[in-house]
Amino acid sequence: MTPQDTDVPAALRQLEDDRSSVRLRAAMAVGTTPEPRFVDKLVERCAIEPEFFVRDMLTWALARHPVSVTLPVLLREVRSERAQARSQALHTLSKIGDRQAWPAITRALLCDADDEVARSAWRAAVVLVPEGEESALAAVLATQLGRGERETQLSLSRALVGLGEVVLPALRAAATAADRQVCTHALATERLLRDPDAGFEFAIEEAKRVVALGGSGQAGQ
């Protein structure tokens, strides 16, 4: 048995160590010397790893492996019943950036009831969307306007802004919604699209004032 062979079970055990620092080093070691036999274990660990910085290292390690090995496992994982498994698999797909994964970014994931899963799906979708399908994606993302707390709303705004001018029809339609929160979020997102330096909080407060005055913010545009 070679030294590399003897390291395999040790590294796998270390990914389950109680100490996050040990798990971090193990994930780093696996990514430094990629081995296809590690992929299943890395993905399995992503689904249950409690520490963000360790999950990020697991994603880095997976991205270091051949796409032909990681992609099938990750595509299976986005259908998991465990929310963290779906979220982390989507996050990893966004980092890998291979558009073969696009068909897996379903409407169900983009509208997932779990905020972390939805946010990961939004980010992945913007990275993976094929040319010509941006408008359709924008229309689906716009259905989520007004959702959740500030962090979730900021994630959605960033995703929409990342698609560019193509999102304007969807944003302007949402800006006429009866739901004030949807309207406010749409107006704030359009402001960020036009002025990325405005800042989300400023854009939201400005949009609230417009909505309070009964406007859509589109007069004179």
Side-chain angles (χ1 to χ4, degrees), residues 24 61 71 77 90 96-97 113-114 154 156 163 168 177 210 212:
L24 182 69
L71 197 58
E77 197 74 352
L90 287 163
I96 292 173
D114 185 279
L154 174 57
L156 181 58
L163 292 174
L168 282 173
V210 172

Side-chain angles (χ1 to χ4, degrees), residues 106-111 122 134-145 156 160 170:
T106 61
R107 187 185 186 101
L109 286 170
L110 293 169
C111 304
W122 301 337
E134 295 91 347
S135 293
L137 174 58
V140 176
L141 293 181
T143 68
Q144 302 301 293
L145 287 163
L156 181 58
L160 285 162

